[in-house]
Amino acid sequence: MSGVALGGASLVRATSGSAQASRDSFTLLSGTEHETDGFVIRGENEGPTVLVVGGLHGNETAGYEAAGEIAQWDIESGTLVVIPRANEVAIQRNTRTGENGDLNRQFPTGSQPETELARAIWSVVEEYEPDTVLDLHESQERYDGDDIDGVGQTVFHSDGQEATQDAEDAVNFINNRWIDDSDYHFKLGGFSGPNSEPTGLFVHKAARDAGADAFLVETLSTDVDLSTRIKWHSVITRRISAEELFAGTSSTTTTATQTPEETETPEDTPTETPEETETPEETETPEETETPEETPEPEEPPSATISTTPSDAMNANLEKGTVVELDASGSTAGDSSIVTFEWDLTGDGTTDATGAKTRVKLDACRTFPIILTATDEAGLTDTTEITLSTV
Ligand SMILES: [Zn+2]
């Protein structure tokens, strides 16, 4: 009966996945007309939690369709919680509101949500304590700065430097890469104050009562293909949550596989006590200077680096069919030189290409792990990985 009691584990009805990465789901208000599913996707690596909600308004189709696609994402890190169809009654009626009025006015800051459905949705915030919250909507009019009814093509964001920067970055990204016609460029909007209308917005409560970086994404529902609007939602959501959910996939995550730490930091080895070699008596014991830690010149390991064309491909949501040029020639090998570059373009551990440059065609809508292993003249190797994604 009560929507407040999410009950965490008791509602989890399906689990699959490997050691740490997993996919779970739960059901809110089971057995009622408001019954709706939520999804919990965990990446392999620890990280923040992102909550994405769609369908608070039932006639804002791109928002709940995009959220449904986002619930299928594979992520690298952190936790992604998605409630694609928050207001199932309204969605089925294809109206803004369902039972009990406007759901996105029922989350007052500082007090309990006002309806059973609103409390059920809020219970997910309390359960998962998201660091970032995205709420996906549509509007029939463009945002002109103050019109409550017209908020299309806007990313509203909570206060704070990081939320502001993330929203700015996402807006710049989608405008530059996805939208040629500046009439359709997204704008930025700050959240209205807690005492100004409209009040009771879900994202406002998420920011003010739960401390999340919160974003309200609004596409223009008129005059634009549904598939385009869904893509815009997906691209913006992915861009804003990239740091949280797709961390550990940039070129900075290099791992030198065959380099003992001592060779990298000779000054840290306790066996090197210069006083001993300075006393004349000690020079008669040549054994000491033959300790293996001291004699070989430390071999500087190679450092594998991948650059891409387009240059920001690893942070982008690329179109299916995009060909990405991969270039390893920025890799370094100290005094030595790199003799082989091996590319694993499928993540299966086998080499698909060799040479400093290759290319990959992103022929499906998924993520593509790209793993480069560089080997130098001394046989030392370094491996780096990036992930490319299509939407
Ligand atoms: Zn809405």
Side-chain angles (χ1 to χ4, degrees):
M1 288 262 303
S2 170
V4 181
L6 172 62
S10 67
L11 284 166
V12 173
R13 64 174 190 211
T15 304
S16 63
S18 59
Q20 290 165 321
S22 65
R23 309 185 77 87
D24 300 330
S25 62
F26 57 83
T27 302
L28 297 175
L29 299 175
S30 188
T32 73
E33 63 184 344
H34 297 300
E35 176 174 322
T36 194
D37 290 335
F39 302 88
V40 182
I41 301 107
R42 289 189 172 84
E44 270 182 42
N45 306 310
E46 294 284 312
T49 296
V50 176
L51 170 65
V52 178
V53 175
L56 281 174
H57 289 145
N59 60 345
E60 300 175 10
T61 312
Y64 64 77
E65 291 286 350
E69 292 187 1
I70 289 163
Q72 309 292 319
W73 281 0
D74 289 323
I75 61 171
E76 309 286 339
S77 55
T79 302
L80 171 63
V81 181
V82 188
I83 307 171
R85 298 166 68 92
N87 194 341
E88 185 63 43
V89 173
I91 289 171
Q92 291 191 11
R93 294 177 183 176
N94 194 30
T95 53
R96 178 180 176 90
T97 64
E99 296 289 325
N100 306 316
D102 188 336
L103 179 58
N104 202 26
R105 300 291 182 270
Q106 296 170 358
F107 296 91
T109 297
S111 57
Q112 277 295 305
E114 292 168 350
T115 60
E116 183 181 50
L117 179 55
R119 286 189 290 273
I121 291 162
W122 188 251
S123 73
V124 176
V125 175
E126 294 180 328
E127 172 86 10
Y128 291 96
E129 300 179 335
D131 303 278
T132 301
V133 171
L134 289 116
D135 185 16
L136 310 183
H137 285 253
E138 295 208 90
S139 179
Q140 295 178 11
E141 304 281 343
R142 286 178 177 80
Y143 181 53
D144 67 6
D146 62 2
D147 188 344
I148 286 173
D149 295 322
V151 289
Q153 303 303 95
T154 309
V155 176
F156 295 92
H157 60 86
S158 55
D159 298 343
Q161 194 180 7
E162 194 168 339
T164 304
Q165 283 177 354
D166 284 354
E168 278 179 7
D169 170 72
V171 164
N172 290 335
F173 178 77
I174 196 160
N175 290 347
N176 291 336
R177 286 192 59 99
W178 287 88
I179 306 173
D180 291 334
D181 185 344
S182 61
D183 285 350
Y184 293 88
H185 277 182
F186 279 79
K187 294 176 180 172
L188 280 174
F191 282 0
S192 54
N195 298 316
S196 56
E197 293 293 328
T199 59
L201 271 67
F202 175 67
V203 286
H204 289 179
K205 188 173 181 65
R208 290 165 187 158
D209 288 357
D213 283 350
F215 304 87
L216 174 61
V217 183
E218 296 270 2
T219 50
L220 182 66
S221 61
T222 51
D223 200 21
V224 183
D225 286 351
L226 176 61
S227 62
T228 299
R229 288 140 52 198
I230 293 170
K231 184 167 281 182
W232 286 343
H233 273 293
S234 180
V235 167
I236 289 169
T237 300
R238 191 167 187 120
R239 187 76 181 181
I240 286 175
S241 63
E243 230 169 87
E244 288 86 347
L245 304 181
F246 301 95
T249 57
S250 78
S251 59
T252 57
T253 60
T254 53
T255 49
T257 50
Q258 296 184 3
T259 52
E261 280 159 26
E262 297 91 311
T263 61
E264 292 177 323
T265 54
E267 60 277 8
D268 288 348
T269 57
T271 53
E272 291 183 11
T273 51
E275 309 86 295
E276 295 196 20
T277 57
E278 282 165 19
T279 59
E281 310 84 29
E282 298 276 340
T283 56
E284 292 169 18
T285 56
E287 309 88 338
E288 296 201 13
T289 59
E290 288 171 6
T291 56
E293 296 92 340
E294 294 187 16
T295 42
E297 199 66 25
E299 180 77 44
E300 192 175 342
S303 175
T305 302
I306 301 172
S307 63
T308 61
T309 305
S311 62
D312 59 350
M314 69 185 76
N315 296 316
N317 290 276
L318 301 160
E319 290 269 20
K320 179 183 169 185
T322 300
V323 174
V324 177
E325 310 277 347
L326 302 166
D327 187 351
S329 55
S331 304
T332 58
D335 297 328
S336 174
S337 62
I338 293 175
V339 291
T340 64
F341 293 102
E342 293 165 290
W343 300 89
D344 174 2
L345 303 175
T346 59
D348 65 356
T350 64
T351 299
D352 302 299
T354 57
K357 295 184 182 183
T358 188
R359 58 175 59 188
V360 61
K361 184 174 184 182
L362 310 181
D363 54 4
C365 286
R366 60 180 175 86
T367 58
F368 294 78
I370 306 293
I371 302 155
L372 166 69
T373 302
T375 306
D376 71 7
E377 290 169 324
L380 299 177
T381 69
D382 185 34
T383 297
T384 190
E385 177 172 356
I386 64 170
T387 301
L388 303 174
S389 306
T390 50
V391 292

